[in-house]
Amino acid sequence: MVSPSSIAGADADIVRERPFQLLLLINVLPPLGTALLSPVLGSLVEPLGATTANVGLMMSAFTAPSIVVIPIAGVVSDRYGRRPVLIFGLVWFGLTGTAIAFVSSFGAALALRALQGIGFAALTPIIITSLGDLYAGTREATAQGLRFTGSGLSQTAFPLVAGVLVGVAWQYPFLLYAVAFPIAAIVYVRFEEPLDETADEGSEAGVREQLGDMRALVAHRRAWTMVVARGSANLAWFGFLTYNSILVVDVLGYTPAEAGILAALASLTYALAATQAGRVADAFDDRLYPLVATNLSMGAGISLAFLSRSLAVAAVGVVFMGAGFGLVLSIYRSVITALPPAALRGGLVSLGEGSGRAAATATPILMGAAIAVATRPLGFEAAVRAVGVGTGLLGAGVGIACLLLMSASPPIRMGE
């Protein structure tokens, strides 16, 4: 029998701890906000009255609200605890996501996606922060990697199911969001605050003082460069998720089910790669080198996928992209949770995740606009390929530039 430590290293024994298990259970839901739609977006155009140019708004509508709500959720969790925010997020995410199956217009679907994004904002950043409360050092990097592995497995299984269900009826994939309700019940009964004293300290501090401390923290170059780098990683990933079905079905001539397989392969790859985050972090004295390498893998991978002429070549590109994404985000999050004092951890993590949401929101809109502009001189197929490659290279380039700036920055010293 293969033990967790033989896969993810000695720190993998955390999988036997109940707080970590519950956080992994909660973590089943947030990745489905976008991954569940990746193989089915093209199938929503006709029944909802959308177009291939604007159906990507189903992604942007979900990610846009969290740009504002994530920082608020982080401050609330620092002051009042992680548990109530997580329970609200689960119930709201499930309720608004499931309701999409019962509407018939594109406008109503977009409105519900925007509301669902509020639920997401109360989940992923708080899960990441809670892991930072519980663990430190390479143990924390392993925890972030294993959490991301859980995200990948969730994004592997559910898109495959969604790709099949959408062939029966377009509404059926959205009913999968109802899994949030039993998870919320379990969390309500079993979950305990990971670090009670953090919540107590946050409650004693005034909101104005706490926000002032956050501004001082983000003014440090080491902090803001990591927040921007965290966001840049989402350019490649959300570029792929948004245009996966259009690339596979409209450009390469395959089926929505095969688009689901490609999305599942991307998620499975990053899930496997993320299990090694602790080992990779431990193997280097400076995390700059693995982070630069993983950014390059991510950018090159999505470029290959969009330049491919067959599903097999696209799959190779997706493997490189997924491996880079799984490692880079796990290590980014480990770095960010270690930068601030505990009382500001939720706030900084939320800013990093808010940066990711901003990139996730802008990417489908800007890619759609760029494809529309490029289609006239290049044709639709060439436009999709060119914009996909450009998106991947931009994400990798911004990430590497931020990492080089961060590495040359002095350590953060609050109060000086």
Side-chain angles (χ1 to χ4, degrees):
M1 181 176 179
V2 179
S3 67
S5 61
S6 67
I7 298 173
D11 293 329
D13 62 336
I14 60 175
V15 299
R16 300 186 180 92
E17 299 175 10
R18 190 174 78 175
F20 183 74
Q21 292 171 349
L22 288 171
L23 288 170
L24 279 186
L25 181 62
I26 299 168
N27 193 64
V28 168
L29 266 297
L32 303 185
T34 50
L36 196 66
L37 265 67
S38 179
V40 307
L41 271 182
S43 302
L44 301 179
V45 171
E46 184 176 347
L48 289 178
T51 68
T52 54
N54 69 13
V55 73
L57 292 175
M58 288 288 283
M59 294 287 199
S60 296
F62 174 79
T63 55
S66 55
I67 299 172
V68 175
V69 179
I70 281 177
I72 296 172
V75 171
V76 170
S77 76
D78 281 338
R79 288 178 58 80
Y80 302 109
R82 319 300 189 204
R83 182 174 178 270
V85 179
L86 288 169
I87 293 172
F88 165 78
L90 284 167
V91 173
W92 190 252
F93 185 93
L95 185 66
T96 51
T98 306
I100 298 172
F102 301 96
V103 301
S104 57
S105 72
F106 189 53
L110 288 179
L112 285 169
R113 285 287 285 169
L115 292 174
Q116 190 182 24
I118 296 173
F120 173 90
L123 292 175
T124 293
I126 312 307
I127 298 168
I128 295 167
T129 303
S130 298
L131 292 174
D133 295 337
L134 289 166
Y135 307 108
T138 59
R139 196 168 175 81
E140 197 261 346
T142 298
Q144 297 292 357
L146 291 175
R147 183 206 70 82
F148 208 35
T149 295
S151 297
L153 294 176
S154 179
Q155 291 188 88
T156 299
F158 283 89
L160 286 173
V161 177
V164 174
L165 289 178
V166 76
V168 181
W170 72 264
Q171 298 97 331
Y172 285 4
F174 295 100
L175 298 178
L176 295 173
Y177 287 127
V179 74
F181 303 128
I183 293 176
I186 294 170
V187 171
Y188 180 80
V189 173
R190 304 293 297 276
F191 189 78
E192 298 176 359
E193 288 294 335
L195 197 63
D196 290 337
E197 55 265 35
T198 300
D200 292 338
E201 289 171 6
S203 297
E204 292 168 5
V207 173
R208 185 175 298 177
E209 180 182 349
Q210 188 174 8
L211 293 177
D213 289 342
M214 278 300 304
R215 284 193 293 270
L217 173 63
V218 177
H220 287 270
R221 190 166 65 182
R222 186 170 287 265
W224 69 255
T225 51
M226 286 308 302
V227 168
V228 174
R230 161 64 189 91
S232 70
N234 274 12
L235 291 176
W237 184 251
F238 278 86
F240 166 73
L241 286 182
T242 303
Y243 282 92
N244 168 45
S245 63
I246 291 172
L247 173 68
V248 173
V249 178
D250 297 338
V251 175
L252 297 180
Y254 294 94
T255 67
E258 286 164 314
I261 291 172
L262 196 64
L265 176 63
S267 300
L268 180 61
T269 303
Y270 93 58
L272 295 174
T275 65
Q276 304 304 305
R279 280 178 168 162
V280 171
D282 192 40
F284 293 88
D285 294 330
D286 190 338
R287 296 186 182 182
L288 171 68
Y289 304 112
L291 285 172
V292 168
T294 50
N295 267 286
L296 289 172
S297 177
M298 189 168 54
I302 189 174
S303 297
L304 179 59
F306 273 91
L307 290 173
S308 66
R309 298 289 176 179
S310 70
L311 195 65
V313 176
V316 174
V318 159
V319 167
F320 278 97
M321 180 191 68
F325 188 68
L327 285 170
V328 80
L329 239 61
S330 299
I331 300 175
Y332 273 160
R333 283 161 168 162
S334 177
V335 172
I336 290 172
T337 57
L339 287 175
L344 298 176
R345 183 176 293 129
L348 187 64
V349 168
S350 294
L351 284 176
E353 295 305 300
S355 171
R357 292 297 97 187
T361 300
T363 297
I365 297 172
L366 295 179
M367 286 184 72
I371 289 171
V373 170
T375 294
R376 180 170 295 178
L378 300 179
F380 178 71
E381 178 180 333
V384 169
R385 293 182 185 278
V387 172
V389 171
T391 301
L393 296 180
L394 177 64
V398 171
I400 291 170
C402 287
L403 288 168
L404 294 175
L405 277 173
M406 190 271 289
S407 68
S409 303
I412 295 174
R413 292 184 176 91
M414 295 298 293
E416 295 185 4

